[in-house]
Amino acid sequence: MYKCLIINLVVFIIFVNSDSHKPLFLPNLPFGEYRINYLGLLRCESIPNKIVFHLYLSKKSANATEIKGNITNYIPFDDSLNLELNLAVKDSIGGWKENAFILKKSKSCSSLKILLGDVWTKVMEGGGAYNATCPLPKGFYKVHGVDTSVFNSVNVPKTFFYGVYKVRFSITKINDVYGCFIVIIEVKRPWETD
């Protein structure tokens, strides 16, 4: 009788814990699929910008953030410029290790369009550039709200190292920086809570 009770109890526990919606094994590996938590958006140090970014993060709800502000292009954003991304990783004592990952692309407008992929239209319309194509002309663009969740669909690797990163987006030509802003993000495991 006790054997039957124990067998039924074991079967019941296995059945209850076999919920297909939650993973049973949550590894604490340093690399894997991720979700991004946006922590901040900053201007770069004072440099003579030809493309000026005045952007900030705004909380829409407890788990929804959007980018607002404005962008002023004193020159057209075209393929004569270069696009550079430089990631610095936050180390265990709170400092930044620069150049953890560097991406340099020529033809900045076309490269940005490829990088954004299917969300190009959403990002451009959120940034006030309706029916945007390359090049983006000179002018003032009011960023009325780009939901950060759209960036989950961009053409970047779907697995990455977990941690806090300072991502510097720069628009350059030869050795001159024409525009720059910094986003601070936290790359987290999908099951981690805030």
Side-chain angles (χ1 to χ4, degrees), residues 7-151:
I7 291 172
N8 285 334
L9 184 61
V10 169
V11 169
F12 176 75
I13 290 172
I14 291 172
F15 179 76
V16 168
N17 283 334
S18 66
D19 184 6
S20 62
H21 298 292
K22 73 173 188 181
L24 296 177
F25 180 64
L26 305 175
N28 198 13
L29 299 173
F31 179 88
E33 292 182 8
Y34 60 88
R35 67 182 181 86
I36 296 177
N37 185 19
Y38 291 84
L39 303 176
L41 205 151
L42 313 165
R43 286 188 231 170
C44 293
E45 309 81 45
S46 59
I47 53 175
N49 291 326
K50 296 186 180 180
I51 300 176
V52 181
F53 297 94
H54 293 285
L55 302 173
Y56 62 94
L57 291 177
S58 175
K59 284 290 236 185
K60 280 177 31 177
S61 66
N63 46 356
T65 306
E66 61 184 10
I67 299 171
K68 291 186 172 186
N70 63 66
I71 301 169
T72 305
N73 289 1
Y74 292 107
I75 60 167
F77 180 66
D78 59 19
D79 284 345
S80 69
L81 303 170
N82 302 316
L83 181 66
E84 297 182 11
L85 278 72
N86 188 323
L87 275 71
V89 64
K90 194 170 198 178
D91 63 19
S92 60
I93 59 170
W96 294 104
K97 290 184 181 176
E98 298 293 332
N99 304 322
F101 179 79
I102 298 172
L103 173 69
K104 293 184 178 185
K105 293 292 221 175
S106 59
K107 300 183 179 180
S108 63
C109 191
S110 297
S111 296
L112 182 63
K113 192 170 185 176
I114 291 168
L115 182 68
L116 292 176
D118 294 337
V119 299
W120 164 265
T121 304
K122 286 182 186 176
V123 171
M124 290 298 122
E125 288 178 356
Y130 298 96
N131 301 317
T133 59
C134 289
L136 291 172
K138 293 192 286 187
F140 178 82
Y141 297 94
K142 176 109 172 102
V143 182
H144 55 79
V146 177
D147 195 321
T148 56
S149 66
V150 302
F151 297 109

